[in-house]
Amino acid sequence: MNIGFIGLGAMGRPMARHLQAAGHALHVWARRPASVEDLPAVVWATPAEVGAACEVVFTMVTSSADVEAVALGEHGLIEGMAAGSLLIDCSTIAPEAARRIAGRLGERGIDMLDAPVSGGPQGAIDATLAIMVGGAAAALERARPLLEKLGQRIVHVGPNGAGQVAKACNQIIMVAAIEAAAEALHLSSAAGVDGGKVRQALAGGSAASRVLEVMGKRMVERDFAAGIEARLHHKDLGLVLAAARQSGVPMPLTASVAQQLNALMALGLGKNDTAALWCVLEAK
Amino acid sequence: MNIGFIGLGAMGRPMARHLQAAGHALHVWARRPASVEDLPAVVWATPAEVGAACEVVFTMVTSSADVEAVALGEHGLIEGMAAGSLLIDCSTIAPEAARRIAGRLGERGIDMLDAPVSGGPQGAIDATLAIMVGGAAAALERARPLLEKLGQRIVHVGPNGAGQVAKACNQIIMVAAIEAAAEALHLSSAAGVDGGKVRQALAGGSAASRVLEVMGKRMVERDFAAGIEARLHHKDLGLVLAAARQSGVPMPLTASVAQQLNALMALGLGKNDTAALWCVLEAK
């Protein structure tokens, strides 16, 4: 199959390579052409050209505006993709943006799935991502053989936008868990108690989590190299709080975590791992 | 061995029964004698009498003041326990209270361990508690065969008080995870997305946790029967914030969770499961 991939960063690149390894021909476009020079792929001059060459196109970019530009902008996918082709957007964007883009593509007979992922760069490399899908069931069934090359757990959450809602929930819970681990381990450190021992003691109980395993270890070892860059979580929590405001849902904990991420950004730590929330608590 | 047990509530009762099932003679005292009438145990009139009859005494009561009264108060354990005997306090109390009580008992040659547990009533019944131990290594080695009847994971965190510090960390992380799950699932519900599907989608990713499995399920099913009574978490977060203030550690997320627990208490939901933080967000 001819497959397009736009957004070849820390997540997108290993994902594209898995699709290629499965025997598909890879077509790409990149804002910075130098970034795809080393890829054994057909490089096109615009997203529209990628769309014209492919039955399925993946996008894995940063923001709602980025997906909108690539899909609907000048020389966007919509100008090239044929009726009956499929866009799978793995970016983390606003649910309403996902619905709007799907609606516009739908008018041309182009299917779209929002399929944001969880698991980070390591999950992308290991093809163990959790994939949260919003869109038509039939479109998911077409996409499933491809998604199975990328992840182990593919859940159809609901119609377009529902995948992004699930991803928003994922980010709320994950970043809150990172901040909670930072506050807890910081308190134990102030009490002169070894954070490594505390992590070990908690691993068997009700507080056990993936975050405590992975990010808790980074805090204790003061290893703040990303990982997942904190600036991306900062962006995601901005989306979440906008959605909360729009829906009239109170989110006091999420709001306090977002403030800590603001402080992290102000300290210039946005390219560090989100475990660097630890450093915000230390700031003198 | 003659073993004392004081505090025969939802946690203490199954713990005491496991010790008895292992062949030890059980000695008890209770503020309300009626509460132990059905136990096949020697019932004494004061903690001091329990202490005089036993080589090892367990306490599993609510607050720092409760442990202090039972251990050091009038007719307290300290008046009965012999030099060389051992107090194992499984209550969740302030680290400094644990250190102070251990210090007073130590003057009489009585050993003490702080050994708070995580896993809830079900963990107590299944003898799968995580046990976080503070105190002398030699005292822990004496206690270990007994603790192994109660839990699967026994971690020596450090000297007296360190077990309570680990438990404080456990509570911060656990209650924050409950509130984060409530906010996330509430947002998804407002967006018309099925909370059960969201939980399923998140289970494989970076947001996976015991809390999301257990408490997330309760929220989605609107089952708020305890479980762990929220009033106990309210008490625990009070201890945590007092320790944070004393140590000069900023805990903005923990503070916002504590406010939500205040609201939960004000709504009269303290005897519900902490999953009832969901209800605080719903309150009109």
Side-chain angles (χ1 to χ4, degrees):
Chain A
M1 203 186 288
N2 286 297
I3 295 185
F5 212 111
I6 294 175
L8 294 147
M11 297 291 297
R13 183 169 282 250
M15 292 167 71
R17 296 306 292 263
H18 289 309
L19 295 168
Q20 205 169 29
H24 300 291
L26 190 63
H27 299 255
V28 305
W29 169 81
R31 250 184 319 203
R32 292 173 299 110
S35 70
V36 290
E37 261 170 10
D38 60 325
L39 266 182
V42 186
V43 181
W44 295 94
T46 67
E49 290 173 18
V50 172
C54 298
E55 297 150 70
V56 176
V57 179
F58 283 82
T59 44
M60 185 46 146
V61 295
T62 301
S63 68
S64 300
D66 292 335
V67 179
E68 203 134 11
V70 165
L72 309 178
E74 197 180 0
H75 308 304
L77 290 166
I78 198 168
E79 296 179 12
M81 289 178 80
S85 61
L86 172 63
L87 172 61
I88 303 174
D89 177 35
C90 297
S91 320
T92 295
I93 66 172
E96 80 205 36
R99 278 189 292 268
R100 191 171 59 239
I101 297 165
R104 287 283 304 283
L105 294 172
E107 291 165 9
R108 307 280 185 103
I110 304 164
D111 286 323
M112 174 171 160
L113 294 171
D114 42 303
V117 303
S118 176
Q122 197 58 50
I125 291 165
D126 299 341
T128 56
L129 295 168
I131 309 180
M132 310 160 210
V133 184
L140 172 54
E141 289 323 303
R142 278 174 69 197
R144 193 180 290 277
L146 300 175
L147 296 178
E148 282 172 348
K149 302 294 177 201
L150 308 179
Q152 285 178 324
R153 192 179 184 92
I154 300 158
V155 176
H156 188 209
V157 185
N160 277 120
Q164 295 296 352
V165 169
K167 181 66 191 281
C169 291
N170 189 84
Q171 303 305 76
I172 294 162
I173 290 171
M174 183 181 174
V175 186
I178 298 170
E179 173 65 17
E183 293 187 9
L185 292 173
H186 204 69
L187 184 71
S188 84
S189 162
V193 174
D194 180 58
K197 289 279 183 197
V198 170
R199 277 187 60 245
Q200 202 183 324
L202 269 51
S206 304
S209 75
R210 280 271 286 271
V211 162
L212 189 61
E213 269 173 55
V214 177
M215 308 287 194
K217 187 158 182 285
R218 286 185 186 152
M219 291 175 200
V220 168
E221 295 173 354
R222 303 190 69 84
D223 168 17
F224 301 119
I228 306 175
E229 293 186 13
R231 68 184 176 85
L232 298 172
H233 283 143
H234 179 254
K235 173 206 66 153
D236 295 345
L237 262 62
L239 292 178
V240 164
L241 290 178
R245 184 178 168 85
Q246 201 167 15
S247 315
V249 172
M251 305 191 80
L253 169 140
T254 307
S256 84
V257 174
Q259 294 301 317
Q260 294 303 102
L261 284 171
N262 286 355
L264 179 155
M265 297 298 285
L267 288 168
L269 299 174
K271 296 207 161 181
N272 285 92
D273 192 89
T274 306
L277 280 167
W278 170 274
C279 305
V280 175
L281 298 175
E282 269 185 340
K284 293 292 187 293
Chain B
M1 205 186 286
N2 287 296
I3 296 185
F5 212 110
I6 294 175
L8 294 148
M11 297 291 298
R13 183 170 282 251
M15 292 167 71
R17 297 307 291 261
H18 289 310
L19 294 168
Q20 204 168 29
H24 300 292
L26 190 63
H27 299 255
V28 304
W29 168 82
R31 250 184 318 203
R32 292 173 297 109
S35 70
V36 290
E37 261 171 10
D38 60 325
L39 267 183
V42 186
V43 181
W44 295 94
T46 66
E49 289 173 19
V50 171
C54 297
E55 297 150 70
V56 176
V57 179
F58 282 82
T59 45
M60 185 47 147
V61 295
T62 300
S63 69
S64 299
D66 293 334
V67 179
E68 203 135 9
V70 165
L72 309 179
E74 198 181 357
H75 308 303
L77 289 166
I78 197 169
E79 296 180 10
M81 290 178 79
S85 61
L86 172 64
L87 172 62
I88 303 175
D89 178 35
C90 297
S91 320
T92 295
I93 66 171
E96 81 206 35
R99 278 190 291 267
R100 191 172 58 241
I101 297 165
R104 286 282 306 281
L105 293 171
E107 291 166 8
R108 306 279 186 104
I110 303 165
D111 286 323
M112 174 172 161
L113 294 171
D114 43 303
V117 304
S118 176
Q122 197 58 50
I125 291 165
D126 299 340
T128 57
L129 295 168
I131 310 180
M132 309 161 208
V133 183
L140 171 54
E141 289 323 304
R142 277 175 69 196
R144 193 179 291 276
L146 301 175
L147 296 178
E148 282 172 348
K149 302 295 176 200
L150 308 178
Q152 286 179 324
R153 195 181 183 91
I154 301 158
V155 177
H156 188 208
V157 185
N160 276 120
Q164 295 296 351
V165 169
K167 180 67 190 282
C169 292
N170 189 83
Q171 302 307 75
I172 293 162
I173 290 171
M174 183 182 175
V175 185
I178 298 170
E179 172 65 17
E183 293 187 10
L185 293 172
H186 204 70
L187 184 70
S188 86
S189 163
V193 174
D194 180 59
K197 289 278 183 196
V198 170
R199 276 188 60 244
Q200 203 183 323
L202 268 52
S206 306
S209 73
R210 278 271 287 270
V211 163
L212 189 61
E213 269 172 57
V214 177
M215 308 287 193
K217 186 158 183 285
R218 286 186 185 151
M219 291 175 199
V220 168
E221 294 174 357
R222 303 190 69 84
D223 167 18
F224 301 119
I228 306 174
E229 292 185 14
R231 67 184 175 86
L232 298 173
H233 283 145
H234 180 254
K235 173 207 68 154
D236 294 346
L237 262 63
L239 292 179
V240 164
L241 290 179
R245 185 178 168 84
Q246 200 168 13
S247 316
V249 173
M251 305 190 80
L253 170 141
T254 307
S256 85
V257 175
Q259 293 302 317
Q260 294 302 103
L261 284 171
N262 285 354
L264 179 154
M265 297 299 285
L267 289 168
L269 299 174
K271 294 205 163 183
N272 285 91
D273 192 89
T274 306
L277 280 168
W278 171 274
C279 305
V280 175
L281 298 175
E282 269 185 340
K284 294 292 186 294

